[in-house]
PDB file of all heavy atoms in Angstrom:
ATOM      1  N   PRO A 350     -36.822  -0.011  -3.086  1.00 54.00           N
ATOM      2  CA  PRO A 350     -35.621  -0.803  -2.849  1.00 54.00           C
ATOM      3  C   PRO A 350     -34.921  -1.151  -4.159  1.00 54.00           C
ATOM      4  O   PRO A 350     -35.556  -1.385  -5.179  1.00 54.00           O
ATOM      5  CB  PRO A 350     -36.158  -2.058  -2.161  1.00 54.00           C
ATOM      6  CG  PRO A 350     -37.460  -1.637  -1.580  1.00 54.00           C
ATOM      7  CD  PRO A 350     -38.020  -0.618  -2.529  1.00 54.00           C
ATOM      8  N   GLY A 351     -33.639  -1.145  -4.162  1.00 59.00           N
ATOM      9  CA  GLY A 351     -32.871  -1.474  -5.356  1.00 59.00           C
ATOM     10  C   GLY A 351     -31.399  -1.544  -5.026  1.00 59.00           C
ATOM     11  O   GLY A 351     -30.970  -1.251  -3.903  1.00 59.00           O
ATOM     12  N   GLU A 352     -30.607  -1.931  -6.019  1.00 66.00           N
ATOM     13  CA  GLU A 352     -29.173  -2.030  -5.802  1.00 66.00           C
ATOM     14  C   GLU A 352     -28.558  -0.640  -5.691  1.00 66.00           C
ATOM     15  O   GLU A 352     -28.990   0.301  -6.361  1.00 66.00           O
ATOM     16  CB  GLU A 352     -28.533  -2.795  -6.963  1.00 66.00           C
ATOM     17  CG  GLU A 352     -28.976  -4.245  -7.074  1.00 66.00           C
ATOM     18  CD  GLU A 352     -28.551  -5.073  -5.864  1.00 66.00           C
ATOM     19  OE1 GLU A 352     -27.485  -4.746  -5.301  1.00 66.00           O
ATOM     20  OE2 GLU A 352     -29.277  -5.997  -5.488  1.00 66.00           O
ATOM     21  N   PHE A 353     -27.553  -0.528  -4.834  1.00 66.00           N
ATOM     22  CA  PHE A 353     -26.856   0.744  -4.710  1.00 66.00           C
ATOM     23  C   PHE A 353     -25.969   0.944  -5.944  1.00 66.00           C
ATOM     24  O   PHE A 353     -25.335   0.003  -6.420  1.00 66.00           O
ATOM     25  CB  PHE A 353     -25.981   0.764  -3.453  1.00 66.00           C
ATOM     26  CG  PHE A 353     -26.768   0.724  -2.173  1.00 66.00           C
ATOM     27  CD1 PHE A 353     -26.678  -0.363  -1.327  1.00 66.00           C
ATOM     28  CD2 PHE A 353     -27.584   1.772  -1.820  1.00 66.00           C
ATOM     29  CE1 PHE A 353     -27.397  -0.403  -0.153  1.00 66.00           C
ATOM     30  CE2 PHE A 353     -28.310   1.749  -0.644  1.00 66.00           C
ATOM     31  CZ  PHE A 353     -28.212   0.651   0.196  1.00 66.00           C
ATOM     32  N   PRO A 354     -25.942   2.174  -6.469  1.00 68.00           N
ATOM     33  CA  PRO A 354     -25.053   2.446  -7.609  1.00 68.00           C
ATOM     34  C   PRO A 354     -23.596   2.188  -7.239  1.00 68.00           C
ATOM     35  O   PRO A 354     -23.192   2.324  -6.079  1.00 68.00           O
ATOM     36  CB  PRO A 354     -25.297   3.933  -7.894  1.00 68.00           C
ATOM     37  CG  PRO A 354     -26.646   4.222  -7.324  1.00 68.00           C
ATOM     38  CD  PRO A 354     -26.767   3.338  -6.118  1.00 68.00           C
ATOM     39  N   GLU A 355     -22.820   1.812  -8.221  1.00 71.00           N
ATOM     40  CA  GLU A 355     -21.409   1.507  -7.986  1.00 71.00           C
ATOM     41  C   GLU A 355     -20.673   2.758  -7.512  1.00 71.00           C
ATOM     42  O   GLU A 355     -20.845   3.845  -8.056  1.00 71.00           O
ATOM     43  CB  GLU A 355     -20.786   0.991  -9.280  1.00 71.00           C
ATOM     44  CG  GLU A 355     -19.345   0.524  -9.127  1.00 71.00           C
ATOM     45  CD  GLU A 355     -18.783  -0.034 -10.416  1.00 71.00           C
ATOM     46  OE1 GLU A 355     -19.553  -0.139 -11.392  1.00 71.00           O
ATOM     47  OE2 GLU A 355     -17.596  -0.369 -10.431  1.00 71.00           O
ATOM     48  N   GLY A 356     -19.886   2.607  -6.485  1.00 76.00           N
ATOM     49  CA  GLY A 356     -19.094   3.722  -5.987  1.00 76.00           C
ATOM     50  C   GLY A 356     -19.709   4.460  -4.811  1.00 76.00           C
ATOM     51  O   GLY A 356     -19.108   5.397  -4.292  1.00 76.00           O
ATOM     52  N   TRP A 357     -20.910   4.064  -4.398  1.00 78.00           N
ATOM     53  CA  TRP A 357     -21.540   4.732  -3.257  1.00 78.00           C
ATOM     54  C   TRP A 357     -20.791   4.393  -1.974  1.00 78.00           C
ATOM     55  O   TRP A 357     -20.444   3.223  -1.728  1.00 78.00           O
ATOM     56  CB  TRP A 357     -23.000   4.309  -3.143  1.00 78.00           C
ATOM     57  CG  TRP A 357     -23.918   5.181  -3.934  1.00 78.00           C
ATOM     58  CD1 TRP A 357     -23.623   5.875  -5.065  1.00 78.00           C
ATOM     59  CD2 TRP A 357     -25.290   5.449  -3.638  1.00 78.00           C
ATOM     60  NE1 TRP A 357     -24.724   6.559  -5.516  1.00 78.00           N
ATOM     61  CE2 TRP A 357     -25.753   6.326  -4.670  1.00 78.00           C
ATOM     62  CE3 TRP A 357     -26.158   5.051  -2.646  1.00 78.00           C
ATOM     63  CZ2 TRP A 357     -27.064   6.799  -4.698  1.00 78.00           C
ATOM     64  CZ3 TRP A 357     -27.466   5.529  -2.681  1.00 78.00           C
ATOM     65  CH2 TRP A 357     -27.909   6.398  -3.690  1.00 78.00           C
ATOM     66  N   ASP A 358     -20.594   5.418  -1.130  1.00 81.00           N
ATOM     67  CA  ASP A 358     -19.960   5.162   0.166  1.00 81.00           C
ATOM     68  C   ASP A 358     -21.030   4.880   1.220  1.00 81.00           C
ATOM     69  O   ASP A 358     -22.235   4.902   0.935  1.00 81.00           O
ATOM     70  CB  ASP A 358     -19.082   6.347   0.583  1.00 81.00           C
ATOM     71  CG  ASP A 358     -19.852   7.660   0.642  1.00 81.00           C
ATOM     72  OD1 ASP A 358     -21.102   7.617   0.756  1.00 81.00           O
ATOM     73  OD2 ASP A 358     -19.228   8.734   0.579  1.00 81.00           O
ATOM     74  N   ALA A 359     -20.581   4.614   2.465  1.00 83.00           N
ATOM     75  CA  ALA A 359     -21.512   4.248   3.539  1.00 83.00           C
ATOM     76  C   ALA A 359     -22.492   5.372   3.845  1.00 83.00           C
ATOM     77  O   ALA A 359     -23.665   5.133   4.151  1.00 83.00           O
ATOM     78  CB  ALA A 359     -20.721   3.878   4.796  1.00 83.00           C
ATOM     79  N   LYS A 360     -22.044   6.628   3.743  1.00 83.00           N
ATOM     80  CA  LYS A 360     -22.918   7.768   4.040  1.00 83.00           C
ATOM     81  C   LYS A 360     -24.048   7.864   3.022  1.00 83.00           C
ATOM     82  O   LYS A 360     -25.214   8.105   3.389  1.00 83.00           O
ATOM     83  CB  LYS A 360     -22.089   9.048   4.033  1.00 83.00           C
ATOM     84  CG  LYS A 360     -22.879  10.282   4.428  1.00 83.00           C
ATOM     85  CD  LYS A 360     -21.975  11.515   4.476  1.00 83.00           C
ATOM     86  CE  LYS A 360     -22.776  12.755   4.881  1.00 83.00           C
ATOM     87  NZ  LYS A 360     -21.900  13.960   4.930  1.00 83.00           N
ATOM     88  N   GLN A 361     -23.745   7.661   1.750  1.00 81.00           N
ATOM     89  CA  GLN A 361     -24.775   7.707   0.706  1.00 81.00           C
ATOM     90  C   GLN A 361     -25.772   6.560   0.866  1.00 81.00           C
ATOM     91  O   GLN A 361     -26.978   6.736   0.685  1.00 81.00           O
ATOM     92  CB  GLN A 361     -24.125   7.653  -0.674  1.00 81.00           C
ATOM     93  CG  GLN A 361     -23.350   8.908  -1.038  1.00 81.00           C
ATOM     94  CD  GLN A 361     -22.569   8.745  -2.327  1.00 81.00           C
ATOM     95  OE1 GLN A 361     -21.822   7.781  -2.494  1.00 81.00           O
ATOM     96  NE2 GLN A 361     -22.743   9.687  -3.245  1.00 81.00           N
TER      97      GLN A 361
END
Side-chain angles (χ1 to χ4, degrees):
E352 296 296 328
F353 294 114
E355 185 178 355
W357 271 28
D358 57 21
K360 184 177 180 180
Q361 290 172 309

